[in-house]
Amino acid sequence: MNVTLEGETVVALKPVFGYLHRNHEKLAEGMSYLGSMPYTDRLDYICPLTNNWAYALAVEKLAGIEVPERAEYLRVILAELTRIQNHAAFLGFVLGDMGAWGTALMYAFRERERILDFFEELTGARMMVNFMRFGGCRWDTPAGWLEEVRKFVKGVPNFLDEMEKLLVENEILLARLVGVAPLSGKRAIEGGLSGPPLRASGVDYDIRKVDAYGIYSRFRFRIPRGEYGDCYDRFMIRIHEARESVEILKQALDEIPEGPVLNPKIKQRGFRPPPGEVYARLEAPKGELGFHIISDGTDRPYRYRVRPPSLINLTLLEEMCIGAKIADVMVILGSIDIVLGEVDR
Amino acid sequence: MTDQVFKSIIEKYPDKDIRFLENSSPSGQHSLLVPPEIAVDVAYFLRDCLGFDYCSNVTGVDWINGVKKGIWKSDSNEEIDGGKSGFLEVVYHLYSVQKKVGPLILRVRTKTREDRPELPSLTPVWKSAEFQEREVFDLFGIWFGGHPDMRRLLMWEEFEGHPMRKDYIPPDDYEYEPTPHGQILERIKTKAGKTE
């Protein structure tokens, strides 16, 4: 970021991108459809499973593929676990940005590490999971995995309570967050914000409800919203959202049926969708993650585009930072929650 | 819902060449092809009168030899089916946060691929297009007239070419530095380089 200051006040700010650019889109246009699946892990490397799902969702829409019931439930469970660990990491990182280095991050990563252990047990990798396939998931859960997740999910509210107590009653934290960089809901929509930063500004818009992709229409959950759109709202909304994720997880773990997890009719290697175009999106932990694919009927996509929530959520960064103090810039940037693997692609 | 929107736009500009492109894949996402001269007008109409307040995704497509066959069921538009000269295209995916509808797909096409083709920018209408139009300029080379800050986004300023174009040839090595390796190999071939 190029920041221009007047004393300690920010008067101009220009983000500079591209230091992690590897042209994911060009690479994907040169390989088979399935070949891009492991690469989507590297977009937002904090939450690879939602990236996998978004890509699989786009291809499934493009080719009209059915997904088995159990795979849908498994996807929801994995996506919500991803959301919890992303938000936990977020809390730790932002507190680290504010100078509370160490303690908060260790608390957050303790929970995150447990979830990554589940991912490792299921997929074989902590972060680069490569787990979703067109028409389901790669394989079924190992014996006892769901039981372990169920036990773990019961304990998540305790962690969130602990974090919330640490936050709500901490005077320094309140001084750093309350009233910093407020953003109106109207402006947030204009700026294309999505996900938690949009809802923190009071906009009732969650793609899980609006599009009801997958089987989200079957679950009861609420959409937390902020009131003022300041850093504190953006901060607290993550905790509330994680609580709702726990609710979804409980329902999904109770209802998950037996059955296959992969549609056997789909030929994964050498996959050829019919010609056409699709834009599919889902509510990733950081916002709206979309994939735009144009197929010309061959085994490679003609056009492959990722709509990165992290990049587009930065559109209003300059507006939010102008007039703020230089020390607040890190907090404002942190409260948007970006991952550079996704910003630059 | 989106079909009505398409209808109302086509009715609003009866003398313009607005085309409805019907997607032939199971996704069923149809789009509207708008001539560049009225793109900004249509955008304001969509935002202010029809409530499409959220521009989610902006992207470019390089149709190097014209549009591929079979993507859209557009029998009445012959040049769309594999015309000889290629062109570039910008695609906007619009949503309405208030009415919770979408996506509405708006496409704008350039006439040629050469000489830095220009299209009107929709950033004044939807702020969220700002970075994405910069990215389209960077990777496809479409200049957006009326954009407040038209620069490259991901590549560096001195970079030449537009990597997402289909005819772009990537260099073998971006950071080539001469090393003594080649010289040593050459010397080994001669008598002086042999140790025995």
Side-chain angles (χ1 to χ4, degrees):
Chain A
M1 288 188 290
N2 291 334
V3 187
T4 313
L5 298 173
E6 208 176 273
E8 274 193 37
T9 312
V10 178
V11 290
L13 183 147
K14 291 281 171 208
V16 183
F17 302 102
Y19 291 99
L20 208 57
H21 179 55
R22 63 266 188 204
N23 218 342
H24 173 57
E25 296 175 6
K26 185 90 178 173
L27 292 171
E29 283 170 17
M31 62 172 93
S32 66
Y33 279 86
L34 186 62
S36 305
M37 185 62 85
Y39 224 117
T40 58
D41 294 338
R42 277 92 176 154
L43 286 172
D44 175 357
Y45 42 80
I46 305 276
C47 17
L49 280 157
T50 43
N51 302 344
N52 277 192
W53 190 5
Y55 179 48
L57 192 74
V59 176
E60 281 155 13
K61 256 191 175 177
L62 180 66
I65 299 173
E66 297 272 318
V67 182
E69 194 84 334
R70 187 176 172 85
E72 291 277 24
Y73 275 94
L74 194 56
R75 284 177 174 188
V76 168
I77 291 168
L78 292 171
E80 296 307 323
L81 282 174
T82 305
R83 201 179 311 279
I84 292 174
Q85 59 96 2
N86 177 72
H87 289 353
F90 164 83
L91 298 173
F93 283 138
V94 172
L95 283 163
D97 287 345
M98 281 190 284
W101 187 249
T103 315
L105 195 68
M106 286 301 125
Y107 271 58
F109 268 57
R110 186 189 61 197
E111 291 311 291
R112 180 164 182 263
E113 214 51 45
R114 281 185 199 162
I115 295 178
L116 291 186
D117 284 348
F118 288 129
F119 290 169
E120 186 174 9
E121 206 178 332
L122 179 63
T123 69
R126 288 166 72 246
M127 290 167 86
M128 302 300 128
V129 290
N130 183 16
F131 187 62
M132 305 279 178
R133 288 290 179 269
F134 312 133
C137 300
R138 208 161 150 202
W139 46 59
D140 207 342
T141 54
W145 190 83
L146 288 169
E147 278 308 311
E148 289 295 316
V149 173
R150 205 168 285 150
K151 267 186 226 159
F152 166 77
V153 167
K154 273 185 199 144
V156 173
N158 292 342
F159 157 72
L160 292 170
D161 286 343
E162 193 179 61
M163 269 315 226
E164 198 172 338
K165 207 173 171 193
L166 195 71
L167 299 175
V168 175
E169 296 173 7
N170 188 317
E171 206 178 319
I172 302 170
L173 190 129
L174 291 176
R176 291 296 303 275
L177 292 177
V178 175
V180 174
L183 191 65
S184 71
K186 188 170 171 291
R187 195 63 189 150
I189 294 171
E190 281 171 7
L193 261 64
S194 55
L198 178 67
R199 291 191 287 276
S201 294
V203 181
D204 179 16
Y205 198 75
D206 189 315
I207 299 165
R208 287 175 292 174
K209 287 271 188 204
V210 176
D211 284 9
Y213 60 90
I215 49 163
Y216 271 110
S217 53
R218 295 184 198 174
F219 303 116
R220 293 179 310 280
F221 62 101
R222 292 171 295 176
I223 309 295
R225 272 188 289 162
E227 199 177 343
Y228 305 102
D230 58 356
C231 281
Y232 187 69
D233 276 352
R234 280 193 284 277
F235 204 90
M236 289 304 287
I237 198 158
R238 261 81 179 198
I239 297 176
H240 295 308
E241 232 172 56
R243 285 188 200 285
E244 294 305 315
S245 290
V246 171
E247 289 304 309
I248 298 172
L249 273 171
K250 278 182 188 162
Q251 295 169 43
L253 285 164
D254 284 345
E255 293 166 14
I256 183 166
E258 290 295 322
V261 290
L262 187 59
N263 190 338
K265 286 178 198 153
I266 309 302
K267 195 176 134 209
Q268 302 285 344
R269 281 159 206 259
F271 178 76
R272 281 165 197 265
E277 182 199 40
V278 73
Y279 177 71
R281 57 180 195 159
L282 56 72
E283 185 73 33
K286 294 193 169 58
E288 174 187 336
L289 177 66
F291 278 82
H292 174 227
I293 298 171
I294 297 179
S295 154
D296 58 354
T298 60
D299 59 349
R300 293 168 187 192
Y302 187 78
R303 178 78 181 100
Y304 171 101
R305 149 88 176 161
V306 186
R307 189 253 189 225
S310 296
L311 171 70
I312 297 157
N313 284 357
L314 289 178
T315 308
L316 293 180
L317 181 68
E318 183 177 15
E319 265 182 46
M320 286 153 83
C321 287
I322 284 176
K325 295 275 182 282
I326 175 96
D328 289 337
V329 172
M330 277 322 293
V331 179
I332 296 167
L333 181 66
S335 76
I336 296 173
D337 192 14
I338 60 161
V339 155
L340 285 163
E342 194 177 56
V343 172
D344 291 341
R345 282 159 294 135
Chain B
M1 174 63 205
T2 47
D3 290 345
Q4 289 168 10
V5 172
F6 288 141
K7 226 180 188 177
S8 61
I9 292 171
I10 292 170
E11 278 165 10
K12 190 167 186 289
Y13 301 92
D15 53 338
K16 298 286 181 189
D17 183 23
I18 300 178
R19 288 182 203 160
F20 172 67
L21 299 182
E22 193 181 348
N23 191 339
S24 51
S25 83
S27 71
Q29 294 174 346
H30 312 310
S31 49
L32 200 67
L33 179 62
V34 178
E37 64 268 17
I38 56 163
V40 178
D41 265 11
V42 171
Y44 274 117
F45 177 64
L46 279 169
R47 189 192 72 175
D48 298 334
C49 306
L50 301 172
F52 283 89
D53 46 6
Y54 188 78
C55 176
S56 167
N57 182 37
V58 182
T59 182
V61 186
D62 180 11
W63 297 109
I64 183 164
N65 294 318
V67 174
K68 296 265 181 179
K69 272 191 181 153
I71 297 176
W72 291 289
K73 292 181 212 158
S74 51
D75 33 307
S76 62
N77 307 312
E78 62 274 11
E79 68 259 54
I80 285 171
D81 278 335
K84 283 213 177 68
S85 62
F87 51 85
L88 299 164
E89 180 183 63
V90 187
V91 190
Y92 295 86
H93 287 89
L94 311 173
Y95 283 86
S96 170
V97 171
Q98 274 130 31
K99 296 180 186 167
K100 300 207 169 34
V101 290
L104 185 113
I105 307 169
L106 206 63
R107 321 180 87 87
V108 189
R109 286 177 181 169
T110 63
K111 294 217 164 48
T112 64
R113 296 173 72 250
E114 277 77 43
D115 303 331
R116 190 181 272 183
E118 185 170 334
L119 287 178
S121 167
L122 299 188
T123 304
V125 190
W126 293 289
K127 171 85 176 160
S128 56
E130 185 179 345
F131 286 166
Q132 304 189 71
E133 283 186 342
R134 274 179 66 189
E135 190 184 321
V136 171
F137 165 63
D138 189 356
L139 303 180
F140 289 91
I142 304 171
W143 184 266
F144 288 94
H147 190 284
D149 184 20
M150 197 78 251
R151 287 181 294 140
R152 282 185 181 274
L153 182 84
L154 297 167
M155 310 304 281
W156 52 101
E157 287 292 319
E158 297 81 22
F159 185 81
E160 285 174 13
H162 302 287
M164 281 304 285
R165 288 198 177 190
K166 292 281 176 189
D167 54 358
Y168 175 79
I169 300 163
D172 294 338
D173 192 351
Y174 281 102
E175 294 169 13
Y176 175 74
E177 276 177 42
T179 58
H181 193 75
Q183 291 166 21
I184 290 167
L185 284 178
E186 284 299 314
R187 209 165 62 208
I188 286 171
K189 282 180 196 161
T190 63
K191 244 183 184 174
K194 286 188 177 143
T195 46
E196 288 174 352

